[in-house]
Amino acid sequence: MKTNHCKKCGKEIVADKKICENCRKKRNEKWNKVGTSVITIAGTALLGVVTKNKIK
């Protein structure tokens, strides 16, 4: 069985993967946090616009 090394941490992994499961999970968690933040900011801005239009 051929092995490869993770590009981020250097851990030995199977040949058809580029990064290990731990690095993949960390990356996904980071991007989920960023996505949640963007959605929250967009929702707050939209709510502000709707509220401003109702006040007029």
Side-chain angles (χ1 to χ4, degrees):
M1 184 182 201
K2 289 187 176 183
T3 59
N4 202 359
H5 292 279
C6 177
K7 287 186 176 183
K8 293 196 175 232
C9 65
K11 183 179 173 184
E12 196 171 280
I13 53 176
V14 289
D16 61 341
K17 305 278 184 182
K18 291 185 179 179
I19 61 174
C20 67
E21 286 296 317
N22 289 338
C23 292
R24 186 179 311 246
K25 286 178 186 175
K26 287 178 189 173
R27 183 182 66 187
N28 288 343
E29 287 173 1
K30 183 181 95 174
W31 282 108
N32 286 342
K33 287 178 185 176
V34 169
T36 303
S37 300
V38 169
I39 290 171
T40 303
I41 292 169
T44 305
L46 181 65
L47 185 63
V49 169
V50 169
T51 305
K52 186 177 177 183
N53 288 340
K54 283 188 177 181
I55 292 174
K56 283 183 177 180

